[in-house]
Amino acid sequence: MRSYAASLTFHIAGLLVAVAAGVCTLMHGLWFCAVTSSAAVISLCVSLYRMQTRQIRLMRRIVDCMRGNDLSQLACPAFGDKETRQLAEDLSAALKAIRIRMNDEETKHQYYENLLDRVDTAVVVCYPDGRTEWMNKAARLMLDNRGVLPEEIISAIRNRQTVVHLPHTPVPTDLSVSVTEIYLKGKSQWLVSLKNIHTALEHTEMEAWRKLIRVLTHEIMNSITPIISLADTLSERSLTESSDGRARSQMRQGLQVIRRRSKGLLEFVENYRKLTRIAQPVRTDIKVRDFFNDLQQLFAGETALTFSCPDSLPHWKADRGQMEQVFINLIRNALEACRNTAGAHIEIGASISGKEWKFTVSDNGEGMLPEVTGRIFVPFFTTKPGGSGIGLALCKQIVILHGGQISVDSRPDKGSRFTLSFPA
């Protein structure tokens, strides 16, 4: 195989010589020589064209291999010189590197796709209008391989809801929705994960009903049993004994007991109604400093209370009436916990960090045992004599309705700390 540079030099030189000879023979009228020179020029041009065509075929072959993803081919040099061979080797090495990289990417793609297909959480990549770009096996089964997300899911994503119910499904479906916005090729897309939590919700609901029924049964039986017993006793005595003063006194005492137990049962039912009839919060802008000042006025005689919050806090959006009820309950509990504590101190604080409000009510009172702290938010659970057991349960429901959380950290003889957090 000739050298590409030598072949190109030969053709250029030949063309120059042939053109010069043709011009010279034409000027002297040597027509045969002129025709011969013209033929030589044409022949050299054709040969030069073929030489370039060989290079173009090499490039075309590489392009076709890349277009067809056939990167196993090697680039064959069109000429035998060192530069051309080096170029062919470099092209072959580049094709090999691309092939290895593509194989690695394909292996990763298959690995992650198989991994996502095996998880029971549905994963969907879609556009903001709901058109799906990709979904795993769980999503295809859940959504029946649709090309568009159901309107309920799209609405939940736009409204930042975390749970959505799909009504038009063969089996009841309640989905936990989580979404992350990503940008691919300059376009906004949603990475959506969906998990059917209907069974978990049913179990939670059943457990809540069991707890409620146990509480109701306990309270009602404790009230109804003595009422029935006394009613039977009074009925028997009304038939067998004379209407003397002693009998009338006993009957009056029995009726008073029945009245007290009936009143207690009525109060229990009324407390239950309070828990089940909490209105949706009407949020307004609350200046925390003014809110704390109002609370301080309500407990003006309590010297153990300290309210602290930065002056630079923004307005807090919440239902003022409901929040006052929450803080009043927590402060009263703290005061009662400190009633036998020397140097009692109760601190109510507020702060905001990032996108979260945080309020604390801390005391150095008697504290609580671990088994108590785990149950204090359960309705009707109380450790106070004569307590209703709905104060903290009511606080928790109000906090949840505001989208927040309430927790407690308490140690016996060390005090308690209630923490309320809300999205800003």
Side-chain angles (χ1 to χ4, degrees):
M1 233 185 267
R2 292 177 297 173
S3 167
Y4 174 73
S7 179
L8 184 61
T9 303
F10 170 77
H11 281 79
I12 293 174
L15 281 172
L16 292 174
V17 172
V19 169
V23 172
C24 184
T25 52
L26 283 174
M27 292 176 61
H28 291 83
L30 302 174
W31 304 108
F32 177 77
C33 292
V35 171
T36 302
S37 297
S38 299
V41 170
I42 294 172
S43 176
L44 287 169
C45 288
V46 171
S47 178
L48 185 61
Y49 171 77
R50 289 179 175 175
M51 186 181 70
Q52 293 302 116
T53 303
R54 290 167 64 187
Q55 291 284 69
I56 293 173
R57 279 201 300 268
L58 172 63
M59 299 301 175
R60 174 60 64 186
R61 182 182 178 189
I62 294 172
V63 171
D64 290 341
C65 289
M66 296 178 69
R67 184 178 297 167
N69 290 328
D70 182 13
L71 303 178
S72 61
Q73 302 294 327
L74 297 177
C76 299
F79 298 91
D81 59 297
K82 181 178 179 181
E83 290 79 5
T84 306
R85 286 198 304 271
Q86 185 63 43
L87 176 62
E89 291 174 1
D90 291 343
L91 289 172
S92 298
L95 290 174
K96 183 178 179 181
I98 294 173
R99 182 175 69 250
I100 293 173
R101 189 160 57 248
M102 289 184 65
N103 288 339
D104 290 342
E105 293 296 330
E106 181 64 23
T107 301
K108 289 181 182 178
H109 174 75
Q110 292 181 1
Y111 171 76
Y112 289 124
E113 189 165 4
N114 289 332
L115 182 64
L116 289 171
D117 276 341
R118 290 182 179 275
V119 299
D120 58 354
T121 300
V123 180
V124 181
V125 178
C126 67
Y127 295 99
D129 60 0
R131 291 180 294 112
T132 58
E133 175 74 15
W134 178 88
M135 59 178 67
N136 67 346
K137 183 178 179 181
R140 291 192 294 270
L141 294 174
M142 179 183 293
L143 304 176
D144 199 19
N145 207 14
R146 303 178 189 177
V148 181
L149 287 179
E151 186 61 35
E152 293 84 0
I153 297 178
I154 299 174
S155 177
I157 293 173
R158 290 174 178 167
N159 296 327
R160 297 183 178 180
Q161 297 175 355
T162 56
V163 178
V164 61
H165 176 71
L166 296 184
H168 309 298
T169 53
V171 294
T173 304
D174 293 284
L175 301 179
S176 171
V177 182
S178 175
V179 61
T180 302
E181 188 174 10
I182 59 177
Y183 289 90
L184 296 176
K185 299 179 181 179
K187 295 181 179 180
S188 174
Q189 292 183 332
W190 289 341
L191 179 62
V192 184
S193 63
L194 306 169
K195 189 173 181 64
N196 192 349
I197 57 173
H198 180 77
T199 303
L201 288 176
E202 282 188 332
H203 286 310
T204 303
E205 184 179 7
M206 289 176 63
E207 184 60 27
W209 277 111
R210 290 194 191 100
K211 289 181 179 179
L212 176 61
I213 291 170
R214 283 199 296 267
V215 171
L216 292 176
T217 303
H218 176 75
E219 292 295 331
I220 292 173
M221 290 300 294
N222 283 350
S223 297
I224 293 295
T225 301
I227 290 175
I228 295 174
S229 177
L230 278 172
D232 290 341
T233 301
L234 292 176
S235 296
E236 291 175 0
R237 289 185 177 180
S238 66
L239 294 176
T240 59
E241 296 185 6
S242 60
S243 299
D244 56 10
R246 182 171 176 274
R248 283 196 300 272
S249 175
Q250 290 178 344
M251 292 183 68
R252 185 166 54 252
Q253 291 176 356
L255 290 172
Q256 289 175 350
V257 172
I258 291 175
R259 181 179 179 277
R260 284 198 304 271
R261 297 305 299 172
S262 299
K263 185 179 178 182
L265 184 59
L266 183 63
E267 289 176 352
F268 169 78
V269 174
E270 186 61 32
N271 286 333
Y272 176 72
R273 290 178 63 189
K274 289 180 182 178
L275 285 175
T276 57
R277 292 189 177 183
I278 302 175
Q280 286 295 323
V282 179
R283 300 173 187 265
T284 57
D285 288 336
I286 302 175
K287 192 173 182 180
V288 179
R289 173 66 67 182
D290 294 342
F291 179 72
F292 278 5
N293 288 338
D294 291 344
L295 288 174
Q296 199 164 12
Q297 291 297 321
L298 290 174
F299 297 93
E302 301 292 344
T303 58
L305 294 179
T306 302
F307 293 83
S308 62
C309 69
D311 293 328
S312 59
L313 286 179
H315 285 163
W316 175 35
K317 294 190 74 68
D319 188 308
R320 190 183 184 101
Q322 290 185 355
M323 282 301 136
E324 282 183 352
Q325 186 175 4
V326 170
F327 279 88
I328 288 171
N329 283 339
L330 293 178
I331 293 172
R332 283 178 177 171
N333 286 346
L335 289 170
E336 188 160 345
C338 294
R339 66 185 183 277
N340 297 323
T341 302
H345 179 67
I346 300 168
E347 183 174 356
I348 299 92
S351 63
I352 185 170
S353 175
K355 295 184 177 181
E356 185 180 59
W357 280 96
K358 185 167 287 187
F359 296 86
T360 57
V361 178
S362 306
D363 66 71
N364 61 344
E366 59 190 16
M368 293 177 283
L369 295 171
E371 55 267 27
V372 175
T373 58
R375 301 176 62 190
I376 58 173
F377 297 112
V378 176
F380 309 111
F381 173 80
T382 181
T383 58
K384 303 175 185 177
S388 65
I390 69 163
L392 290 176
L394 197 64
C395 291
K396 184 171 184 177
Q397 288 209 34
I398 292 174
V399 170
I400 291 174
L401 286 174
H402 281 75
Q405 293 181 338
I406 182 171
S407 60
V408 61
D409 180 23
S410 182
R411 287 179 292 173
D413 301 322
K414 298 293 184 181
S416 303
R417 179 185 179 90
F418 286 84
T419 302
L420 295 82
S421 57
F422 303 92

